[in-house]
Amino acid sequence: MPAKRATKADDTGTRSRLMEATAQIIREEGYAAATSRRVAAVAGVKSALVYYYFPTMDDLFVAVLRAGGEKALDRMRQALTADDPLQVLWEINTDARFTQLNTEFMALANHRKAVGAELKTFAERVRDIETAAVTLVLRSCGVDITEFPPVVVSILLTGAARILCNEGAVGVRQGHAELRTFVEDLMSRYRPEAAAPGRLRE
């Protein structure tokens, strides 16, 4: 009997499993462990299927980055309509699940140009959303955004959050409690009910 032809549902399911397996391996073991054989084993398929769905490993990595990036961007866009946009950005960027995978892709981008190009596009979109959210907060509080550029404030806020995650991943905790307290106190001054319009809070 002729071999059963794969349906679109089969194709989508296998492709998704390969992508999910890749993300899992990168998150738990690092990008170097994400070989075609390892990905296939975790996905529970034959290794030849990796290259059936993705011509190269770069194509697979980019697909994983793009899919995860869209989910992250959707979550970040919530900050634009949230009651407390800064808190939303802080929570996203102190979420180790988000920062850990992103850190691995940053390292992978040093070796694979296709991944680097995709990561640049994603990072720029993230920066745009973060800056827009911070702009809304600063303007609502009457802060002079020429003196305190929103893009700079957003980098400082999210950068501090990512430092906590990156250092925490290797067991560094020195100064973390103090940083969290400092940032959370600062953010509390720019909540709608707390911020004093026209000036930075002392």
Side-chain angles (χ1 to χ4, degrees), residues 138 142-153 156 198-200 202:
L138 296 184
V143 175
D144 183 353
I145 62 174
T146 60
E147 185 178 1
F148 295 91
V151 67
V152 174
V153 176
L156 291 174
R199 64 183 179 86
L200 282 174
E202 298 295 335

Side-chain angles (χ1 to χ4, degrees), residues 26 31-32 61 103-113 115-116:
I26 293 175
Y31 73 86
F61 291 139
T103 298
E104 286 295 326
F105 272 118
M106 289 286 285
L108 181 59
N110 291 325
H111 307 285
R112 296 177 180 269
K113 291 183 179 180
V115 174

Side-chain angles (χ1 to χ4, degrees), residues 3 9 11 18 38 80 88 123 126 138 149 162-163 173 180:
D11 283 345
L18 289 170
R38 180 78 178 120
L80 296 174
V88 173
V126 167
L138 296 184
R162 291 165 191 164
I163 285 173
R173 298 286 187 275
R180 284 182 181 276

Side-chain angles (χ1 to χ4, degrees), residues 61-96:
F61 291 139
V62 167
V64 172
L65 177 56
R66 192 169 291 166
E70 287 302 323
K71 290 180 181 178
L73 288 169
D74 285 342
R75 187 179 174 195
M76 286 187 174
R77 290 187 187 100
Q78 296 173 13
L80 296 174
T81 56
D83 292 334
D84 191 350
L86 298 186
Q87 185 64 38
V88 173
L89 293 181
W90 179 251
E91 290 174 358
I92 292 172
N93 285 282
T94 52
D95 185 340

